[in-house]
Amino acid sequence: MAAAMEIEVSADDVAYEEDVLRDPFRLSGWLRYLSARRAAPPAKRAAIYERALRALPGSYKLWHAYLTELGDAARALPVTHAAHAGLDAAFERALAAGMSRMPRVWHMYASSLLHQRLLTRARHVLDRALRSLPVTQHHHVWPLHLRLASLPDCPAPTAVRVHGRHLQFDPDHEEDFIAFLVSAGRWRDAAQHLAAAIDDEGFVSVKGTTKRQLLLDLCGLLAQHPEDVAGMPVDGILRGSIRKFPEEAGVLWTSLASHYARRGLHGKARDVFEEAMTTATTVKDFRMVFDAYLHFEHAMAAAELELCQADAVDVQDCWLADRDSTDLAMARLERLLERRPELLNSVLLRQNPHDVQAWHERAKIFHKDPARHAATYAEAVRTVDPAKATGKPPHTLWLALAKMYEDRGSVGCARDVLHRATQANFTAAEHLAAVYCEWAHMELRHQDPERAIDLIRRATTPPSIEPTTHAAAAGGEDVRVKLHRCLKLWLVYLNLMTTHGSLESTCAVYDKMHDLGVVTPLLVLDHATLLEQHGRFEDAFRVYERGVRSFKHPHADAIWEAYLTKFVQRHGKSRPERVRDLFQAAAVYLRYARFGEDFGLASRAMKVYVDAASAVPASDRLGVYEVYVARATELYGLLKARDVYQQAIVGGGLPDEGARAMCVGFADLEIVLGEVARARALYAYAAAFTDPKVYPEFWKRRNDFEVLHGDEGTFREMLRMKRTMAAVARDGAGARVGVIVVLARLNVPAPRVMNPRESGNEDVGTDGVPPN
């Protein structure tokens, strides 16, 4: 051994030898000696280390340096070389000398043994390290334990025990342990640990893995390895997970069914699929389960068909041969496909049992099965709460059920359904009115108009005070209290009385509608037309008068139109004063003016035009003045038209747009009369409030006028004014632009300027002059 080895002392070693011999228990002397002989042969350095350790057996520095050098030297040699045995012996001597409290020594020893593939010895050393070291230093040892367990040569039971012991030391190792169990094929142990982690409320993944992902991993294990997890409560685990994670119900049900299918329990798998489809609450889960169920039935049918074909040669002539199993598998597959719409609709109804549209779609599925069709609608009217109904109005369910009975000839059952519908707690009076209307139409279809009229009469009768008071005391207003004001009921009532009643009864219905305030302008016109058809003109006029009192503009306009037209046709010449009063009451000035012209009252018509121009809104005055000019020209000639133009431009209250149009029209009139100077003055007046960029067509028109009727001076003056107006519009400032040429006989006042509210120029003063 190196301890007994003699070494040759050179002249250079004398000083160091004397130093260590003088004080062998001083560590610094030995370290200087070793540092100075760094290049010495390994045997000499080993002898120095051995001498130093005999003097200082508890020195961690010496043992660590010595073991490191031995390990580096042995690592380059085969594991069967004697150097490895010497290294292991040195480690044992170090531990015996007191290095058992040093985790680094244990780590180096175990690493060396793992390098030599001495797994059992390494495991024993690591166990000794855990027993020797305090718990606070065990984290230095466990990585080597896990490294040992991950080696291919390590037996699976040993690896599992190592990971299990480490899990007790470090609970955060749970996910790594599960991953190891999966990689080692220990499916049952992995499934148990996954289930425990999912059930543990305090479990928090250090890797950020959610319990949802852990659950999916567990499902995969249980579904793909049913034989390996035999004995585990798979059914209880997955059903409990469904209750705990309802958003993953589709995956969990599919995994449970796959588990039974892989175990050969096909009937149990079908039961799970059926239960999953009848309890699914989302379309996503239903589709997932249905697709898996369909794939399962396809596989079963294909297997039966393949088995039948394989056995066909052997049993073809045997009287025992039958294809019941194959036919049954195909029948199951076809039945599953047929049930899909019904099952999907059930999911929608579980989501919202008050979805009226879903109930209608469910009834359509059973339209070929009268019993289930009727049962579906009966269940719908029992289930749907009108206050929570969505999709369609709830009364449509009652109407569809009644229509079904009617189509099958059970009119009595249809009447009973409609009667019960009238007692339902609808939230809108329109829904109850629709039930009564459909009931009346059904009676008409079966040639019983008297029953229909009596039904609608009862529905439109105002309720007594007692039901109203009772509904108010109950904390709300019953829809039956408002039923008599539903216009839809009254329209049906009118149609019934018009078709099967008398004139008096029909007019009585119209009068009741007037009294209740449910009449419309169109109904007023219909009422008056009905009376006119029977020659009762004065009654029709009274209806018109009542209608115009009941409605305001613009709803009364159509009634006034019809009233004035009918009255003028009948009493225009005989009662002109009454006609004038009606026109004034209706404020229909233009029609009144036309009436005056037709009956020879032209001067009164002109006055009506003046009144109309001052009465209508400013935006409508241009139209009035255009009609006024046309009628004045036709009745009195161009001189009167000049007065109308001047009145419109100067005092007509027209906005700039209307005044500009009047100026252009006035100028055209003067050009026709040959008064070019007057026309130029009008163009100049209009130009004072016209921006060339905003109204280029006006300036083009004036340009054409100067080309045809002007000279160089007038044209230059037109260009100057155009530039001035462009500058005023651009800069928002400038002197007021006056009229260039104003004839005294035109008697036109100072020109207008652009209205600040219309031109967008807020810098213009209130008097039309831009501020300085």
Side-chain angles (χ1 to χ4, degrees), residues 212 215-216 219 237-258 272-290 292 347 350:
R212 173 182 176 275
L215 178 63
L216 296 179
C219 293
I237 291 174
L238 291 181
R239 289 181 182 274
S241 300
I242 291 172
R243 292 189 293 271
K244 191 172 183 179
F245 300 97
E247 65 277 5
E248 297 296 339
V251 178
L252 296 172
W253 282 118
T254 304
S255 299
L256 182 58
S258 300
V272 172
F273 277 126
E274 290 291 339
E275 183 180 358
M277 289 192 301
T278 55
T279 57
T281 56
T282 64
V283 176
K284 172 187 172 183
D285 291 341
F286 170 79
R287 288 177 177 172
M288 184 179 298
V289 173
F290 184 85
V347 174
R350 279 193 292 273

Side-chain angles (χ1 to χ4, degrees), residues 113 229 314 434 535 551 561 563 576 584 646 741 747:
L113 293 175
V229 298
D314 299 332
F551 299 97
E561 179 77 15
Y563 186 16
Q584 290 178 348
Q646 181 174 348
V741 179
N747 195 23

Side-chain angles (χ1 to χ4, degrees), residues 481-558:
V481 176
K482 300 183 291 185
L483 180 64
H484 66 287
R485 298 184 61 84
C486 288
L487 180 60
K488 186 175 183 178
L489 275 175
W490 286 103
L491 294 178
V492 174
Y493 198 4
L494 280 176
N495 291 334
L496 288 172
M497 300 310 299
T498 302
T499 307
H500 304 285
S502 61
L503 175 62
E504 298 300 330
S505 61
T506 305
C507 291
V509 173
Y510 277 114
D511 292 337
K512 289 180 181 179
M513 295 179 69
H514 270 288
D515 296 338
L516 290 175
V518 297
V519 72
T520 64
L522 182 59
L523 292 176
V524 172
L525 297 177
D526 292 341
H527 188 190
T529 302
L530 177 65
L531 293 172
E532 291 169 1
Q533 291 173 353
H534 289 80
R536 298 171 60 173
F537 296 102
E538 292 302 324
D539 292 338
F541 293 152
R542 281 193 290 272
V543 170
Y544 281 129
E545 291 176 357
R546 188 176 185 180
V548 296
R549 288 195 303 269
S550 301
F551 299 97
K552 297 181 180 181
H553 175 79
H555 307 292
D557 293 349

Side-chain angles (χ1 to χ4, degrees), residues 221-239:
L221 290 178
L222 297 179
Q224 296 173 13
H225 308 282
E227 299 299 334
D228 296 310
V229 298
M232 288 187 62
V234 177
D235 192 274
I237 291 174
L238 291 181
R239 289 181 182 274

